């Protein structure tokens, strides 16, 4: 689904033992300063040296998700650990 046509989205962690799922509304970001900041974080985390061209919204969109709710669980305590958060 295209986020520009329907902003509803879900984001999940890759940790199958401690998953967290977040539902919210996504928005493609195009503000130069925001993209530069995200790029700085990506380059620092992955020890890369991408240029700002990497963040071109028409090729590699940066999406901000405004959460509505999130859910997390610990596989070792499946029945006692489920937690749900809601956001205004």
């Amino acid at each position: 689904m295209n986020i520009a046509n329907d902003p509803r989205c879900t984001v999940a962690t890759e940790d199958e033992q401690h998953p967290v799922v977040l539902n919210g509304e996504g928005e493609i970001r195009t503000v130069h300063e925001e993209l530069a900041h995200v790029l700085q974080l990506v380059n620092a985390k992955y020890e890369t040296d991408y240029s700002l061209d990497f963040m071109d919204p028409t090729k590699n969109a940066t999406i901000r998700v405004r959460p509505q709710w999130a859910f997390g669980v610990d596989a070792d305590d499946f029945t006692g650990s489920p937690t749900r958060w809601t956001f205004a």
Side-chain angles (χ1 to χ4, degrees), residues 20 59 68 70 85:
V20 176
K59 298 177 185 172
Q68 295 173 335
W85 299 270

Side-chain angles (χ1 to χ4, degrees), residues 2-67:
N2 185 331
I3 203 89
N5 293 328
D6 185 352
R8 295 174 298 168
C9 62
T10 300
V11 178
T13 61
E14 293 183 28
D15 184 349
E16 68 277 352
Q17 294 301 306
H18 308 97
V20 176
V21 177
L22 180 137
N23 264 11
E25 292 194 358
E27 173 186 14
I28 297 172
R29 304 305 299 160
T30 59
V31 176
H32 180 270
E33 291 79 14
E34 291 178 11
L35 298 178
H37 178 68
V38 170
L39 180 62
Q40 178 184 18
L41 295 172
V42 167
N43 280 335
K45 180 176 182 176
Y46 297 106
E47 298 179 354
T48 54
D49 191 24
Y50 295 125
S51 69
L52 199 53
D53 293 341
F54 180 74
M55 305 301 283
D56 180 350
T58 63
K59 298 177 185 172
N60 202 12
T62 299
I63 299 171
R64 174 174 51 197
V65 178
R66 295 196 184 272

Side-chain angles (χ1 to χ4, degrees), residues 63-84:
I63 299 171
R64 174 174 51 197
V65 178
R66 295 196 184 272
Q68 295 173 335
W69 62 263
F71 178 84
V73 66
D74 181 349
D76 294 332
D77 185 17
F78 187 78
T79 59
S81 69
T83 304
R84 180 180 170 122

